[in-house]
Amino acid sequence: QVQLEESGGGLVQAGGSLRLSCAASGRTFSSSAMAWFRKAPGKEREFVAGVNYIGGMTSYADSVKGRFTISRDNAKSTVYLQMDSLKPEDTADYYCAANPTPVRHHIATVRERYRYWGQGTQVTVSS
């Protein structure tokens, strides 16, 4: 089992940056694919970025490609989301998720593939 706790959310002006962190506990973190999802008011939860268990493969939603960077430090059991050039439409609750049974060479983008979830951290981008 994996427990996840996000931090780093807050209020930022458009064009600014934030770095989200997700601290994990549990023995399966290092073998789990990790991802960030977000849910904006009135919208469905959507995939933002994912990273495989080693960290060498990443995937991004088109809406954040080139602006967000996902990374992980298995020694610290932490996954990060560096968010640059933030836009008001990035405003959402951001959730960290773990997939303990990843398919090799593939990063799932659907939430049903992720078994463990954090409580979320709020990001607000003002215009």
Side-chain angles (χ1 to χ4, degrees):
Q1 193 169 2
V2 178
Q3 291 81 42
L4 305 172
E5 183 173 0
E6 303 95 336
S7 62
L11 173 65
V12 63
Q13 288 188 329
S17 298
L18 282 175
R19 188 174 84 152
L20 305 183
S21 298
C22 173
S25 59
R27 293 182 296 173
T28 59
F29 173 80
S30 60
S31 61
S32 297
M34 301 297 296
W36 289 93
F37 285 73
R38 67 185 181 187
K39 186 181 185 310
K43 295 187 177 181
E44 295 291 319
R45 190 174 299 195
E46 64 176 358
F47 173 83
V48 175
V51 60
N52 70 341
Y53 65 97
I54 295 176
M57 177 184 290
T58 57
S59 178
Y60 296 93
D62 287 343
S63 59
V64 307
K65 202 170 292 184
R67 300 187 298 121
F68 291 10
T69 304
I70 188 171
S71 61
R72 66 188 296 163
D73 184 338
N74 284 347
K76 296 182 178 179
S77 297
T78 302
V79 63
Y80 304 97
L81 185 67
Q82 177 66 40
M83 305 186 295
D84 298 319
S85 303
L86 282 161
K87 304 176 180 180
E89 51 263 44
D90 295 318
T91 294
D93 291 326
Y94 283 72
Y95 298 88
C96 177
N99 173 10
T101 56
V103 174
R104 193 173 181 182
H105 303 311
H106 174 74
I107 295 173
T109 61
V110 293
R111 60 185 181 181
E112 289 77 12
R113 290 298 312 277
Y114 292 85
R115 186 183 307 175
Y116 303 110
W117 293 82
Q119 295 300 307
T121 185
Q122 188 174 55
V123 172
T124 303
V125 184
S126 63
S127 58

XYZ file of all heavy atoms in Angstrom, residues 5 8 12-13 16 21 28 41 44 58 60-61 68 70 79 89 91 97-98 101 104 111:
167
model
N 0.851 12.280 0.147
C 0.501 13.582 0.702
C 1.112 14.676 -0.154
O 2.338 14.777 -0.280
C 0.984 13.713 2.145
C 0.571 15.027 2.798
C 0.911 15.085 4.272
O 1.465 14.102 4.791
O 0.622 16.113 4.914
N 2.594 22.243 -1.530
C 3.158 23.204 -2.462
C 2.157 24.037 -3.224
O 2.539 24.921 -3.992
N -0.921 32.137 -7.085
C 0.165 32.704 -7.868
C -0.417 33.507 -9.024
O -1.528 33.199 -9.497
C 1.105 31.582 -8.378
C 0.376 30.639 -9.323
C 2.354 32.136 -9.020
N 0.304 34.512 -9.465
C -0.148 35.297 -10.610
C 0.150 34.572 -11.914
O 1.080 33.746 -11.984
C 0.534 36.660 -10.617
C 0.034 37.610 -9.540
C 0.584 39.010 -9.704
O 1.698 39.196 -10.189
N -0.187 40.002 -9.289
N 3.563 32.996 -13.373
C 4.414 32.568 -12.275
C 4.632 31.066 -12.248
O 4.218 30.340 -13.160
N 4.837 19.003 -4.484
C 5.529 17.804 -4.022
C 4.515 16.782 -3.550
O 3.450 17.147 -3.052
C 6.478 18.130 -2.859
O 7.479 19.035 -3.252
N 5.916 0.022 -1.926
C 5.772 -0.162 -3.370
C 6.001 1.116 -4.153
O 5.839 1.125 -5.369
C 4.371 -0.697 -3.702
O 3.383 0.219 -3.231
C 4.154 -2.058 -3.066
N -13.174 23.348 -10.946
C -14.604 23.415 -10.628
C -15.458 23.173 -11.864
O -15.224 23.768 -12.921
C -14.768 24.847 -10.111
C -13.430 25.219 -9.584
C -12.443 24.549 -10.494
N -14.293 17.453 -15.051
C -13.859 16.135 -14.625
C -12.384 16.170 -14.231
O -11.621 17.023 -14.681
C -14.045 15.138 -15.778
C -15.479 14.893 -16.192
C -16.243 14.139 -15.118
O -15.666 13.205 -14.532
O -17.409 14.503 -14.873
N 8.318 9.954 -19.261
C 7.294 10.879 -18.788
C 6.234 11.072 -19.865
O 6.463 10.797 -21.046
C 7.889 12.248 -18.427
O 8.570 12.779 -19.569
C 8.868 12.135 -17.267
N 2.752 13.893 -20.742
C 2.090 15.128 -20.363
C 0.815 15.324 -21.167
O 0.734 14.945 -22.345
C 3.008 16.334 -20.619
C 4.263 16.324 -19.783
C 5.442 15.763 -20.272
C 4.271 16.873 -18.507
C 6.596 15.742 -19.506
C 5.422 16.859 -17.732
C 6.584 16.292 -18.239
O 7.708 16.273 -17.481
N -0.146 15.972 -20.543
C -1.312 16.439 -21.269
C -0.873 17.550 -22.209
O 0.047 18.319 -21.901
C -2.367 16.943 -20.291
N 5.043 22.335 -17.779
C 5.129 21.543 -16.553
C 6.175 20.450 -16.729
O 6.374 19.924 -17.822
C 3.796 20.879 -16.233
C 2.689 21.816 -15.810
C 2.800 23.196 -15.909
C 1.503 21.297 -15.284
C 1.779 24.040 -15.512
C 0.467 22.115 -14.886
C 0.611 23.494 -15.016
N 7.396 16.852 -14.668
C 7.248 15.880 -13.586
C 8.584 15.176 -13.365
O 9.319 14.898 -14.314
C 6.128 14.865 -13.885
C 5.852 13.992 -12.659
C 6.466 14.018 -15.106
C 4.607 13.115 -12.805
N 7.572 12.610 -5.462
C 7.391 12.992 -6.864
C 7.054 14.479 -6.885
O 6.396 14.996 -5.978
C 6.304 12.130 -7.537
C 4.949 12.321 -6.890
C 6.228 12.411 -9.019
N -6.290 29.141 -16.393
C -6.965 27.864 -16.642
C -6.270 26.683 -15.973
O -6.779 25.561 -16.012
C -7.115 27.607 -18.147
C -5.840 27.764 -18.942
C -5.735 29.134 -19.603
O -6.042 30.154 -18.908
O -5.321 29.200 -20.773
N -5.885 26.706 -12.805
C -6.498 26.700 -11.478
C -7.292 25.416 -11.270
O -8.150 25.064 -12.081
C -7.429 27.914 -11.317
O -6.643 29.110 -11.349
C -8.186 27.851 -10.005
N -1.100 10.565 -7.653
C -1.662 9.222 -7.732
C -0.570 8.202 -8.027
O 0.412 8.517 -8.714
C -2.730 9.161 -8.821
N -0.771 6.994 -7.534
C 0.202 5.915 -7.717
C -0.439 4.713 -8.386
O -1.537 4.282 -8.002
C 0.800 5.511 -6.371
N 0.920 -1.236 -10.396
C 1.074 -2.306 -11.395
C 1.188 -1.707 -12.786
O 0.324 -1.930 -13.653
C -0.112 -3.278 -11.318
O -1.334 -2.537 -11.493
C -0.149 -4.006 -9.983
N 4.876 -2.031 -18.593
C 6.219 -1.610 -18.989
C 6.161 -0.708 -20.221
O 5.405 -0.958 -21.164
C 7.065 -2.846 -19.277
C 8.538 -2.552 -19.397
C 9.326 -3.836 -19.521
N 10.756 -3.601 -19.624
C 11.650 -4.549 -19.783
N 11.281 -5.806 -19.861
N 12.931 -4.248 -19.856
N -7.626 7.688 -14.887
C -7.546 7.624 -13.432
C -7.837 6.236 -12.891
O -7.379 5.887 -11.794
C -8.487 8.653 -12.812
C -9.941 8.488 -13.169
C -10.745 9.633 -12.585
N -12.166 9.522 -12.880
C -13.070 10.393 -12.506
N -12.710 11.458 -11.818
N -14.337 10.225 -12.807
